[in-house]
mmCIF file of all heavy atoms in Angstrom:
data_model
loop_
_atom_site.group_PDB
_atom_site.id
_atom_site.type_symbol
_atom_site.label_atom_id
_atom_site.label_comp_id
_atom_site.label_asym_id
_atom_site.label_seq_id
_atom_site.Cartn_x
_atom_site.Cartn_y
_atom_site.Cartn_z
ATOM 1 N N ILE R 26 -10.982 5.928 -4.192
ATOM 2 C CA ILE R 26 -10.057 6.142 -5.319
ATOM 3 C C ILE R 26 -9.185 7.367 -5.067
ATOM 4 O O ILE R 26 -7.974 7.345 -5.304
ATOM 5 C CB ILE R 26 -10.842 6.255 -6.639
ATOM 6 C CG1 ILE R 26 -11.518 4.923 -6.955
ATOM 7 C CG2 ILE R 26 -9.932 6.692 -7.782
ATOM 8 C CD1 ILE R 26 -12.539 4.986 -8.077
ATOM 9 N N VAL R 27 -9.797 8.428 -4.572
ATOM 10 C CA VAL R 27 -9.033 9.647 -4.271
ATOM 11 C C VAL R 27 -7.956 9.351 -3.219
ATOM 12 O O VAL R 27 -6.803 9.789 -3.343
ATOM 13 C CB VAL R 27 -9.979 10.781 -3.807
ATOM 14 C CG1 VAL R 27 -9.193 11.921 -3.177
ATOM 15 C CG2 VAL R 27 -10.817 11.277 -4.970
ATOM 16 N N GLU R 28 -8.332 8.594 -2.179
ATOM 17 C CA GLU R 28 -7.363 8.256 -1.134
ATOM 18 C C GLU R 28 -6.193 7.456 -1.702
ATOM 19 O O GLU R 28 -5.039 7.707 -1.352
ATOM 20 C CB GLU R 28 -8.045 7.483 0.000
ATOM 21 C CG GLU R 28 -8.949 8.353 0.844
ATOM 22 C CD GLU R 28 -9.738 7.567 1.883
ATOM 23 O OE1 GLU R 28 -9.438 6.376 2.112
ATOM 24 O OE2 GLU R 28 -10.665 8.153 2.467
ATOM 25 N N GLU R 29 -6.499 6.499 -2.560
ATOM 26 C CA GLU R 29 -5.415 5.722 -3.189
ATOM 27 C C GLU R 29 -4.566 6.612 -4.095
ATOM 28 O O GLU R 29 -3.343 6.529 -4.084
ATOM 29 C CB GLU R 29 -5.977 4.542 -3.984
ATOM 30 C CG GLU R 29 -6.432 3.398 -3.140
ATOM 31 C CD GLU R 29 -5.321 2.792 -2.284
ATOM 32 O OE1 GLU R 29 -4.163 2.724 -2.748
ATOM 33 O OE2 GLU R 29 -5.616 2.397 -1.152
ATOM 34 N N ARG R 30 -5.224 7.449 -4.896
ATOM 35 C CA ARG R 30 -4.504 8.340 -5.801
ATOM 36 C C ARG R 30 -3.546 9.244 -5.033
ATOM 37 O O ARG R 30 -2.401 9.450 -5.453
ATOM 38 C CB ARG R 30 -5.516 9.209 -6.569
ATOM 39 C CG ARG R 30 -4.869 10.204 -7.528
ATOM 40 C CD ARG R 30 -5.812 11.289 -7.955
ATOM 41 N NE ARG R 30 -6.163 12.116 -6.794
ATOM 42 C CZ ARG R 30 -7.229 12.903 -6.746
ATOM 43 N NH1 ARG R 30 -8.065 12.983 -7.761
ATOM 44 N NH2 ARG R 30 -7.484 13.616 -5.670
ATOM 45 N N ASP R 31 -3.995 9.757 -3.902
ATOM 46 C CA ASP R 31 -3.189 10.708 -3.143
ATOM 47 C C ASP R 31 -2.029 10.049 -2.400
ATOM 48 O O ASP R 31 -1.154 10.742 -1.881
ATOM 49 C CB ASP R 31 -4.078 11.489 -2.176
ATOM 50 C CG ASP R 31 -5.055 12.400 -2.916
ATOM 51 O OD1 ASP R 31 -4.871 12.612 -4.146
ATOM 52 O OD2 ASP R 31 -6.007 12.889 -2.278
ATOM 53 N N ARG R 32 -2.018 8.724 -2.327
ATOM 54 C CA ARG R 32 -0.922 8.019 -1.656
ATOM 55 C C ARG R 32 0.327 7.950 -2.520
ATOM 56 O O ARG R 32 1.418 7.699 -2.033
ATOM 57 C CB ARG R 32 -1.342 6.579 -1.325
ATOM 58 C CG ARG R 32 -2.349 6.487 -0.216
ATOM 59 C CD ARG R 32 -2.683 5.049 0.127
ATOM 60 N NE ARG R 32 -1.448 4.297 0.390
ATOM 61 C CZ ARG R 32 -1.302 2.999 0.175
ATOM 62 N NH1 ARG R 32 -2.302 2.310 -0.285
ATOM 63 N NH2 ARG R 32 -0.161 2.397 0.432
ATOM 64 N N TRP R 33 0.203 8.158 -3.812
ATOM 65 C CA TRP R 33 1.294 7.902 -4.735
ATOM 66 C C TRP R 33 1.709 9.168 -5.487
ATOM 67 O O TRP R 33 0.873 10.006 -5.808
ATOM 68 C CB TRP R 33 0.873 6.841 -5.759
ATOM 69 C CG TRP R 33 0.422 5.574 -5.100
ATOM 70 C CD1 TRP R 33 -0.858 5.207 -4.823
ATOM 71 C CD2 TRP R 33 1.244 4.534 -4.575
ATOM 72 N NE1 TRP R 33 -0.899 4.001 -4.179
ATOM 73 C CE2 TRP R 33 0.393 3.561 -4.020
ATOM 74 C CE3 TRP R 33 2.613 4.331 -4.527
ATOM 75 C CZ2 TRP R 33 0.872 2.412 -3.422
ATOM 76 C CZ3 TRP R 33 3.085 3.165 -3.940
ATOM 77 C CH2 TRP R 33 2.219 2.229 -3.399
ATOM 78 N N ALA R 34 2.986 9.285 -5.799
ATOM 79 C CA ALA R 34 3.474 10.412 -6.588
ATOM 80 C C ALA R 34 2.898 10.359 -8.003
ATOM 81 O O ALA R 34 2.589 11.392 -8.597
ATOM 82 C CB ALA R 34 5.006 10.396 -6.633
ATOM 83 N N ASP R 35 2.758 9.146 -8.522
ATOM 84 C CA ASP R 35 2.154 8.955 -9.839
ATOM 85 C C ASP R 35 0.800 8.291 -9.636
ATOM 86 O O ASP R 35 0.736 7.146 -9.174
ATOM 87 C CB ASP R 35 3.061 8.061 -10.702
ATOM 88 C CG ASP R 35 2.553 7.922 -12.129
ATOM 89 O OD1 ASP R 35 1.341 8.155 -12.361
ATOM 90 O OD2 ASP R 35 3.357 7.564 -12.995
ATOM 91 N N PRO R 36 -0.284 8.977 -9.956
ATOM 92 C CA PRO R 36 -1.624 8.412 -9.698
ATOM 93 C C PRO R 36 -1.903 7.109 -10.433
ATOM 94 O O PRO R 36 -2.768 6.348 -10.024
ATOM 95 C CB PRO R 36 -2.581 9.522 -10.144
ATOM 96 C CG PRO R 36 -1.777 10.467 -10.935
ATOM 97 C CD PRO R 36 -0.343 10.289 -10.557
ATOM 98 N N ARG R 37 -1.139 6.824 -11.476
ATOM 99 C CA ARG R 37 -1.345 5.555 -12.186
ATOM 100 C C ARG R 37 -1.025 4.364 -11.288
ATOM 101 O O ARG R 37 -1.531 3.274 -11.510
ATOM 102 C CB ARG R 37 -0.503 5.518 -13.454
ATOM 103 C CG ARG R 37 -0.955 6.530 -14.497
ATOM 104 C CD ARG R 37 -0.095 6.498 -15.700
ATOM 105 N NE ARG R 37 1.295 6.802 -15.292
ATOM 106 C CZ ARG R 37 2.322 6.844 -16.086
ATOM 107 N NH1 ARG R 37 2.162 6.587 -17.361
ATOM 108 N NH2 ARG R 37 3.521 7.128 -15.651
ATOM 109 N N ALA R 38 -0.206 4.593 -10.265
ATOM 110 C CA ALA R 38 0.138 3.520 -9.332
ATOM 111 C C ALA R 38 -1.079 3.058 -8.539
ATOM 112 O O ALA R 38 -1.079 1.970 -7.970
ATOM 113 C CB ALA R 38 1.249 3.975 -8.384
ATOM 114 N N ALA R 39 -2.108 3.882 -8.497
ATOM 115 C CA ALA R 39 -3.316 3.546 -7.743
ATOM 116 C C ALA R 39 -4.349 2.819 -8.602
ATOM 117 O O ALA R 39 -5.445 2.516 -8.119
ATOM 118 C CB ALA R 39 -3.936 4.815 -7.160
ATOM 119 N N GLY R 40 -4.012 2.524 -9.834
ATOM 120 C CA GLY R 40 -4.984 1.930 -10.761
ATOM 121 C C GLY R 40 -5.621 0.647 -10.268
ATOM 122 O O GLY R 40 -6.853 0.516 -10.262
ATOM 123 N N VAL R 41 -4.821 -0.296 -9.829
ATOM 124 C CA VAL R 41 -5.367 -1.581 -9.379
ATOM 125 C C VAL R 41 -6.254 -1.377 -8.152
ATOM 126 O O VAL R 41 -7.363 -1.923 -8.075
ATOM 127 C CB VAL R 41 -4.244 -2.586 -9.067
ATOM 128 C CG1 VAL R 41 -4.805 -3.848 -8.414
ATOM 129 C CG2 VAL R 41 -3.498 -2.954 -10.343
ATOM 130 N N GLU R 42 -5.777 -0.598 -7.198
ATOM 131 C CA GLU R 42 -6.572 -0.375 -5.988
ATOM 132 C C GLU R 42 -7.869 0.369 -6.309
ATOM 133 O O GLU R 42 -8.907 0.113 -5.693
ATOM 134 C CB GLU R 42 -5.752 0.375 -4.941
ATOM 135 C CG GLU R 42 -4.580 -0.426 -4.398
ATOM 136 C CD GLU R 42 -4.977 -1.791 -3.830
ATOM 137 O OE1 GLU R 42 -6.005 -1.883 -3.134
ATOM 138 O OE2 GLU R 42 -4.258 -2.766 -4.092
ATOM 139 N N ALA R 43 -7.826 1.281 -7.262
ATOM 140 C CA ALA R 43 -9.049 1.979 -7.674
ATOM 141 C C ALA R 43 -10.055 0.992 -8.264
ATOM 142 O O ALA R 43 -11.248 1.029 -7.944
ATOM 143 C CB ALA R 43 -8.710 3.069 -8.691
ATOM 144 N N LEU R 44 -9.571 0.099 -9.096
ATOM 145 C CA LEU R 44 -10.456 -0.901 -9.698
ATOM 146 C C LEU R 44 -11.002 -1.852 -8.635
ATOM 147 O O LEU R 44 -12.181 -2.246 -8.680
ATOM 148 C CB LEU R 44 -9.707 -1.674 -10.786
ATOM 149 C CG LEU R 44 -9.295 -0.831 -11.997
ATOM 150 C CD1 LEU R 44 -8.282 -1.580 -12.848
ATOM 151 C CD2 LEU R 44 -10.510 -0.424 -12.814
ATOM 152 N N LYS R 45 -10.173 -2.220 -7.680
ATOM 153 C CA LYS R 45 -10.631 -3.089 -6.597
ATOM 154 C C LYS R 45 -11.699 -2.385 -5.750
ATOM 155 O O LYS R 45 -12.644 -3.028 -5.285
ATOM 156 C CB LYS R 45 -9.451 -3.525 -5.727
ATOM 157 C CG LYS R 45 -8.562 -4.547 -6.426
ATOM 158 C CD LYS R 45 -7.258 -4.807 -5.707
ATOM 159 C CE LYS R 45 -7.394 -5.328 -4.331
ATOM 160 N NZ LYS R 45 -6.072 -5.596 -3.699
ATOM 161 N N ALA R 46 -11.554 -1.085 -5.564
ATOM 162 C CA ALA R 46 -12.562 -0.332 -4.803
ATOM 163 C C ALA R 46 -13.904 -0.357 -5.531
ATOM 164 O O ALA R 46 -14.951 -0.554 -4.904
ATOM 165 C CB ALA R 46 -12.095 1.105 -4.581
ATOM 166 N N VAL R 47 -13.864 -0.168 -6.838
ATOM 167 C CA VAL R 47 -15.111 -0.219 -7.622
ATOM 168 C C VAL R 47 -15.719 -1.619 -7.540
ATOM 169 O O VAL R 47 -16.913 -1.779 -7.282
ATOM 170 C CB VAL R 47 -14.840 0.170 -9.094
ATOM 171 C CG1 VAL R 47 -16.076 -0.084 -9.950
ATOM 172 C CG2 VAL R 47 -14.398 1.628 -9.190
ATOM 173 N N GLN R 48 -14.889 -2.617 -7.719
ATOM 174 C CA GLN R 48 -15.389 -3.993 -7.709
ATOM 175 C C GLN R 48 -15.955 -4.379 -6.341
ATOM 176 O O GLN R 48 -16.953 -5.091 -6.251
ATOM 177 C CB GLN R 48 -14.273 -4.956 -8.112
ATOM 178 C CG GLN R 48 -14.742 -6.398 -8.257
ATOM 179 C CD GLN R 48 -13.716 -7.230 -8.962
ATOM 180 O OE1 GLN R 48 -13.549 -7.089 -10.162
ATOM 181 N NE2 GLN R 48 -13.018 -8.063 -8.218
#
Side-chain angles (χ1 to χ4, degrees):
I26 294 168
V27 166
E28 288 174 12
E29 284 300 324
R30 179 197 66 199
D31 293 347
R32 288 183 53 209
W33 304 97
D35 185 339
R37 293 178 301 179
V41 172
E42 294 305 318
L44 295 166
K45 287 169 60 178
V47 171
Q48 186 166 287

